[in-house]
Amino acid sequence: MPDSARTPLPLADSSVAGRLVCWILGAALAATAADLLAPMPPWWPLVWSGLWALLPVTLAFWVPVRAREKRRLREDPAAA
């Protein structure tokens, strides 16, 4: 079966990675607010720092995927 121009490439759409970035950022901000409002258990710093550590990791994944998607859309505007 020949590849067509409409066959999606793996990770060609940045929306999934973008949603993941947004959810992690939201969770990290909510965790920070919760940390400021009430005393937390001893394991809480691991959760809090883990969420903030995941943010640059997911951004490092999302940025090249989004750049590739934008380049593809610039080259072929009809693909949008």
Side-chain angles (χ1 to χ4, degrees):
M1 177 161 77
D3 290 335
S4 69
R6 294 182 182 232
T7 303
L9 299 172
L11 303 176
D13 183 12
S14 67
S15 63
V16 174
R19 285 188 195 111
L20 184 61
V21 169
C22 290
W23 276 101
I24 289 174
L25 177 59
L29 290 172
T32 300
D35 193 36
L36 294 173
L37 295 176
M40 294 294 154
W43 50 264
W44 184 252
L46 291 174
V47 172
W48 184 84
S49 60
L51 286 169
W52 283 107
L54 274 175
L55 187 60
V57 171
T58 56
L59 281 171
F61 174 73
W62 175 77
V63 167
V65 171
R66 179 67 178 150
R68 183 174 56 185
E69 181 183 34
K70 288 183 88 156
R71 183 178 57 237
R72 191 187 73 225
L73 290 174
R74 265 193 313 262
E75 291 171 356
D76 185 15

PDB file of all heavy atoms in Angstrom, residues 5-6 69-80:
ATOM      1  N   ALA A   5      -0.101  11.368   1.145  1.00  0.00           N
ATOM      2  CA  ALA A   5       0.246  12.598   1.856  1.00  0.00           C
ATOM      3  C   ALA A   5      -0.574  12.743   3.130  1.00  0.00           C
ATOM      4  O   ALA A   5      -0.186  13.454   4.040  1.00  0.00           O
ATOM      5  CB  ALA A   5       0.029  13.802   0.954  1.00  0.00           C
ATOM      6  N   ARG A   6      -1.689  12.043   3.209  1.00  0.00           N
ATOM      7  CA  ARG A   6      -2.554  12.158   4.388  1.00  0.00           C
ATOM      8  C   ARG A   6      -2.244  11.118   5.452  1.00  0.00           C
ATOM      9  O   ARG A   6      -2.876  11.112   6.500  1.00  0.00           O
ATOM     10  CB  ARG A   6      -4.004  12.058   3.978  1.00  0.00           C
ATOM     11  CG  ARG A   6      -4.407  13.233   3.129  1.00  0.00           C
ATOM     12  CD  ARG A   6      -5.851  13.150   2.778  1.00  0.00           C
ATOM     13  NE  ARG A   6      -6.178  14.274   1.928  1.00  0.00           N
ATOM     14  CZ  ARG A   6      -7.167  15.097   2.150  1.00  0.00           C
ATOM     15  NH1 ARG A   6      -7.939  14.917   3.184  1.00  0.00           N
ATOM     16  NH2 ARG A   6      -7.397  16.090   1.339  1.00  0.00           N
ATOM     17  N   GLU A  69       6.104  19.943  13.082  1.00  0.00           N
ATOM     18  CA  GLU A  69       4.742  20.124  12.592  1.00  0.00           C
ATOM     19  C   GLU A  69       4.574  21.477  11.896  1.00  0.00           C
ATOM     20  O   GLU A  69       3.984  21.560  10.827  1.00  0.00           O
ATOM     21  CB  GLU A  69       3.776  20.039  13.774  1.00  0.00           C
ATOM     22  CG  GLU A  69       2.336  20.196  13.396  1.00  0.00           C
ATOM     23  CD  GLU A  69       1.430  20.170  14.607  1.00  0.00           C
ATOM     24  OE1 GLU A  69       1.831  20.653  15.682  1.00  0.00           O
ATOM     25  OE2 GLU A  69       0.314  19.666  14.466  1.00  0.00           O
ATOM     26  N   LYS A  70       5.129  22.536  12.481  1.00  0.00           N
ATOM     27  CA  LYS A  70       5.019  23.860  11.858  1.00  0.00           C
ATOM     28  C   LYS A  70       5.773  23.915  10.530  1.00  0.00           C
ATOM     29  O   LYS A  70       5.310  24.524   9.570  1.00  0.00           O
ATOM     30  CB  LYS A  70       5.548  24.927  12.818  1.00  0.00           C
ATOM     31  CG  LYS A  70       4.612  25.173  13.982  1.00  0.00           C
ATOM     32  CD  LYS A  70       5.123  26.253  14.855  1.00  0.00           C
ATOM     33  CE  LYS A  70       4.595  27.537  14.295  1.00  0.00           C
ATOM     34  NZ  LYS A  70       4.519  28.616  15.256  1.00  0.00           N
ATOM     35  N   ARG A  71       6.945  23.274  10.464  1.00  0.00           N
ATOM     36  CA  ARG A  71       7.708  23.242   9.213  1.00  0.00           C
ATOM     37  C   ARG A  71       6.923  22.514   8.130  1.00  0.00           C
ATOM     38  O   ARG A  71       6.844  22.962   6.995  1.00  0.00           O
ATOM     39  CB  ARG A  71       9.061  22.575   9.444  1.00  0.00           C
ATOM     40  CG  ARG A  71       9.938  22.575   8.195  1.00  0.00           C
ATOM     41  CD  ARG A  71      11.301  21.958   8.426  1.00  0.00           C
ATOM     42  NE  ARG A  71      11.197  20.604   8.914  1.00  0.00           N
ATOM     43  CZ  ARG A  71      11.733  20.177  10.063  1.00  0.00           C
ATOM     44  NH1 ARG A  71      12.395  21.002  10.837  1.00  0.00           N
ATOM     45  NH2 ARG A  71      11.604  18.927  10.438  1.00  0.00           N
ATOM     46  N   ARG A  72       6.295  21.393   8.510  1.00  0.00           N
ATOM     47  CA  ARG A  72       5.495  20.649   7.542  1.00  0.00           C
ATOM     48  C   ARG A  72       4.315  21.472   7.045  1.00  0.00           C
ATOM     49  O   ARG A  72       3.978  21.464   5.861  1.00  0.00           O
ATOM     50  CB  ARG A  72       5.013  19.351   8.174  1.00  0.00           C
ATOM     51  CG  ARG A  72       4.413  18.400   7.154  1.00  0.00           C
ATOM     52  CD  ARG A  72       3.794  17.193   7.797  1.00  0.00           C
ATOM     53  NE  ARG A  72       2.559  17.634   8.431  1.00  0.00           N
ATOM     54  CZ  ARG A  72       2.168  17.293   9.647  1.00  0.00           C
ATOM     55  NH1 ARG A  72       2.916  16.506  10.372  1.00  0.00           N
ATOM     56  NH2 ARG A  72       1.039  17.733  10.146  1.00  0.00           N
ATOM     57  N   LEU A  73       3.679  22.219   7.947  1.00  0.00           N
ATOM     58  CA  LEU A  73       2.544  23.045   7.548  1.00  0.00           C
ATOM     59  C   LEU A  73       2.973  24.221   6.679  1.00  0.00           C
ATOM     60  O   LEU A  73       2.226  24.657   5.804  1.00  0.00           O
ATOM     61  CB  LEU A  73       1.794  23.536   8.778  1.00  0.00           C
ATOM     62  CG  LEU A  73       1.036  22.477   9.542  1.00  0.00           C
ATOM     63  CD1 LEU A  73       0.452  23.044  10.817  1.00  0.00           C
ATOM     64  CD2 LEU A  73      -0.038  21.839   8.683  1.00  0.00           C
ATOM     65  N   ARG A  74       4.166  24.751   6.906  1.00  0.00           N
ATOM     66  CA  ARG A  74       4.672  25.831   6.040  1.00  0.00           C
ATOM     67  C   ARG A  74       4.972  25.317   4.646  1.00  0.00           C
ATOM     68  O   ARG A  74       4.741  26.005   3.648  1.00  0.00           O
ATOM     69  CB  ARG A  74       5.950  26.437   6.636  1.00  0.00           C
ATOM     70  CG  ARG A  74       5.727  27.647   7.476  1.00  0.00           C
ATOM     71  CD  ARG A  74       7.016  28.357   7.750  1.00  0.00           C
ATOM     72  NE  ARG A  74       8.083  27.467   8.176  1.00  0.00           N
ATOM     73  CZ  ARG A  74       8.437  27.270   9.454  1.00  0.00           C
ATOM     74  NH1 ARG A  74       7.813  27.902  10.404  1.00  0.00           N
ATOM     75  NH2 ARG A  74       9.421  26.455   9.752  1.00  0.00           N
ATOM     76  N   GLU A  75       5.517  24.099   4.558  1.00  0.00           N
ATOM     77  CA  GLU A  75       5.858  23.530   3.267  1.00  0.00           C
ATOM     78  C   GLU A  75       4.616  23.135   2.455  1.00  0.00           C
ATOM     79  O   GLU A  75       4.610  23.232   1.247  1.00  0.00           O
ATOM     80  CB  GLU A  75       6.758  22.319   3.453  1.00  0.00           C
ATOM     81  CG  GLU A  75       8.140  22.677   3.966  1.00  0.00           C
ATOM     82  CD  GLU A  75       8.948  21.444   4.359  1.00  0.00           C
ATOM     83  OE1 GLU A  75       8.401  20.320   4.300  1.00  0.00           O
ATOM     84  OE2 GLU A  75      10.113  21.619   4.737  1.00  0.00           O
ATOM     85  N   ASP A  76       3.579  22.674   3.155  1.00  0.00           N
ATOM     86  CA  ASP A  76       2.359  22.233   2.479  1.00  0.00           C
ATOM     87  C   ASP A  76       1.145  22.745   3.241  1.00  0.00           C
ATOM     88  O   ASP A  76       0.581  22.048   4.078  1.00  0.00           O
ATOM     89  CB  ASP A  76       2.332  20.708   2.410  1.00  0.00           C
ATOM     90  CG  ASP A  76       1.143  20.187   1.619  1.00  0.00           C
ATOM     91  OD1 ASP A  76       0.512  20.972   0.894  1.00  0.00           O
ATOM     92  OD2 ASP A  76       0.837  18.988   1.746  1.00  0.00           O
ATOM     93  N   PRO A  77       0.724  23.986   2.972  1.00  0.00           N
ATOM     94  CA  PRO A  77      -0.422  24.565   3.697  1.00  0.00           C
ATOM     95  C   PRO A  77      -1.722  23.774   3.510  1.00  0.00           C
ATOM     96  O   PRO A  77      -2.602  23.845   4.339  1.00  0.00           O
ATOM     97  CB  PRO A  77      -0.562  25.967   3.117  1.00  0.00           C
ATOM     98  CG  PRO A  77       0.706  26.244   2.415  1.00  0.00           C
ATOM     99  CD  PRO A  77       1.308  24.932   2.047  1.00  0.00           C
ATOM    100  N   ALA A  78      -1.822  23.021   2.444  1.00  0.00           N
ATOM    101  CA  ALA A  78      -3.036  22.236   2.215  1.00  0.00           C
ATOM    102  C   ALA A  78      -3.134  21.057   3.177  1.00  0.00           C
ATOM    103  O   ALA A  78      -4.209  20.476   3.327  1.00  0.00           O
ATOM    104  CB  ALA A  78      -3.054  21.729   0.778  1.00  0.00           C
ATOM    105  N   ALA A  79      -2.055  20.713   3.844  1.00  0.00           N
ATOM    106  CA  ALA A  79      -2.061  19.584   4.781  1.00  0.00           C
ATOM    107  C   ALA A  79      -2.813  19.912   6.058  1.00  0.00           C
ATOM    108  O   ALA A  79      -3.155  19.039   6.827  1.00  0.00           O
ATOM    109  CB  ALA A  79      -0.641  19.157   5.110  1.00  0.00           C
ATOM    110  N   ALA A  80      -3.037  21.184   6.323  1.00  0.00           N
ATOM    111  CA  ALA A  80      -3.764  21.595   7.533  1.00  0.00           C
ATOM    112  C   ALA A  80      -5.181  21.205   7.368  1.00  0.00           C
ATOM    113  O   ALA A  80      -5.925  20.713   8.016  1.00  0.00           O
ATOM    114  CB  ALA A  80      -3.663  23.093   7.740  1.00  0.00           C
TER     115      ALA A  80
END
